[in-house]
Short mmCIF file of all heavy atoms in Angstrom, two decimals:
data_model
loop_
_atom_site.label_atom_id
_atom_site.label_comp_id
_atom_site.label_asym_id
_atom_site.label_seq_id
_atom_site.Cartn_x
_atom_site.Cartn_y
_atom_site.Cartn_z
N MET A 1 77.33 -101.45 -7.73
CA MET A 1 78.19 -102.60 -7.70
C MET A 1 77.38 -103.78 -7.17
O MET A 1 76.76 -103.68 -6.13
CB MET A 1 79.40 -102.34 -6.80
CG MET A 1 80.26 -103.56 -6.59
SD MET A 1 81.63 -103.36 -5.42
CE MET A 1 82.57 -102.08 -6.16
N GLU A 2 77.41 -104.86 -7.90
CA GLU A 2 76.75 -106.08 -7.45
C GLU A 2 77.72 -106.89 -6.61
O GLU A 2 78.84 -107.15 -7.03
CB GLU A 2 76.28 -106.91 -8.64
CG GLU A 2 75.50 -108.12 -8.23
CD GLU A 2 74.98 -108.91 -9.41
OE1 GLU A 2 74.93 -108.37 -10.52
OE2 GLU A 2 74.65 -110.08 -9.21
N ILE A 3 77.28 -107.26 -5.40
CA ILE A 3 78.13 -108.03 -4.47
C ILE A 3 77.42 -109.34 -4.15
O ILE A 3 76.26 -109.34 -3.76
CB ILE A 3 78.40 -107.24 -3.18
CG1 ILE A 3 79.09 -105.92 -3.51
CG2 ILE A 3 79.23 -108.06 -2.21
CD1 ILE A 3 79.22 -104.99 -2.33
N GLN A 4 78.14 -110.46 -4.32
CA GLN A 4 77.60 -111.78 -4.00
C GLN A 4 78.59 -112.54 -3.12
O GLN A 4 79.80 -112.44 -3.32
CB GLN A 4 77.37 -112.58 -5.28
CG GLN A 4 76.37 -111.97 -6.21
CD GLN A 4 76.24 -112.78 -7.49
OE1 GLN A 4 77.06 -113.65 -7.78
NE2 GLN A 4 75.21 -112.49 -8.26
N ARG A 6 79.42 -116.44 -1.83
CA ARG A 6 79.09 -117.85 -2.10
C ARG A 6 80.25 -118.76 -1.72
O ARG A 6 81.41 -118.37 -1.78
CB ARG A 6 78.70 -118.04 -3.55
CG ARG A 6 79.80 -117.71 -4.52
CD ARG A 6 79.38 -117.96 -5.94
NE ARG A 6 78.84 -116.74 -6.50
CZ ARG A 6 78.73 -116.51 -7.79
NH1 ARG A 6 79.08 -117.40 -8.66
NH2 ARG A 6 78.26 -115.39 -8.22
N GLU A 17 83.85 -117.10 -1.34
CA GLU A 17 84.28 -116.11 -2.31
C GLU A 17 83.28 -114.95 -2.34
O GLU A 17 82.07 -115.17 -2.29
CB GLU A 17 84.33 -116.78 -3.69
CG GLU A 17 85.21 -116.08 -4.68
CD GLU A 17 85.45 -116.98 -5.88
OE1 GLU A 17 84.48 -117.30 -6.59
OE2 GLU A 17 86.61 -117.36 -6.10
N VAL A 18 83.82 -113.74 -2.41
CA VAL A 18 82.99 -112.55 -2.58
C VAL A 18 83.22 -112.05 -4.00
O VAL A 18 84.36 -111.81 -4.39
CB VAL A 18 83.36 -111.46 -1.55
CG1 VAL A 18 82.57 -110.18 -1.80
CG2 VAL A 18 83.11 -111.96 -0.13
N HIS A 19 82.12 -111.95 -4.74
CA HIS A 19 82.18 -111.43 -6.11
C HIS A 19 81.71 -109.98 -6.08
O HIS A 19 80.63 -109.69 -5.56
CB HIS A 19 81.25 -112.23 -7.03
CG HIS A 19 81.73 -113.60 -7.30
ND1 HIS A 19 82.13 -114.01 -8.54
CD2 HIS A 19 81.88 -114.68 -6.50
CE1 HIS A 19 82.50 -115.27 -8.50
NE2 HIS A 19 82.36 -115.69 -7.25
N MET A 20 82.51 -109.10 -6.63
CA MET A 20 82.15 -107.68 -6.75
C MET A 20 82.29 -107.34 -8.22
O MET A 20 83.39 -107.10 -8.71
CB MET A 20 83.10 -106.82 -5.91
CG MET A 20 83.09 -107.18 -4.44
SD MET A 20 84.60 -106.67 -3.59
CE MET A 20 85.78 -107.83 -4.25
N ASP A 21 81.15 -107.37 -8.93
CA ASP A 21 81.15 -107.24 -10.38
C ASP A 21 82.08 -108.30 -10.96
O ASP A 21 81.82 -109.48 -10.80
CB ASP A 21 81.51 -105.83 -10.82
CG ASP A 21 80.44 -104.81 -10.41
OD1 ASP A 21 79.26 -105.21 -10.28
OD2 ASP A 21 80.77 -103.63 -10.22
N SER A 22 83.19 -107.94 -11.58
CA SER A 22 84.08 -108.94 -12.18
C SER A 22 85.27 -109.29 -11.28
O SER A 22 86.14 -110.05 -11.68
CB SER A 22 84.60 -108.42 -13.53
OG SER A 22 85.36 -107.25 -13.34
N ASN A 23 85.30 -108.76 -10.07
CA ASN A 23 86.41 -109.04 -9.14
C ASN A 23 85.99 -110.10 -8.13
O ASN A 23 84.83 -110.17 -7.73
CB ASN A 23 86.80 -107.76 -8.39
CG ASN A 23 87.27 -106.69 -9.34
OD1 ASN A 23 88.22 -106.89 -10.08
ND2 ASN A 23 86.58 -105.56 -9.35
N LYS A 24 86.95 -110.92 -7.70
CA LYS A 24 86.70 -111.98 -6.72
C LYS A 24 87.75 -111.94 -5.63
O LYS A 24 88.93 -111.73 -5.90
CB LYS A 24 86.76 -113.35 -7.39
CG LYS A 24 85.77 -113.56 -8.49
CD LYS A 24 86.00 -114.89 -9.17
CE LYS A 24 85.13 -115.03 -10.38
NZ LYS A 24 85.39 -116.29 -11.10
N VAL A 25 87.29 -112.17 -4.38
CA VAL A 25 88.19 -112.27 -3.24
C VAL A 25 87.80 -113.52 -2.46
O VAL A 25 86.62 -113.75 -2.20
CB VAL A 25 88.09 -111.03 -2.32
CG1 VAL A 25 89.05 -111.14 -1.15
CG2 VAL A 25 88.34 -109.75 -3.10
#
Side-chain angles (χ1 to χ4, degrees):
M1 173 185 300
E2 184 177 342
I3 301 172
Q4 298 177 347
R6 62 178 93 161
E17 202 167 64
V18 175
H19 289 246
M20 301 157 288
D21 293 333
S22 63
N23 300 301
K24 300 175 187 177
V25 181

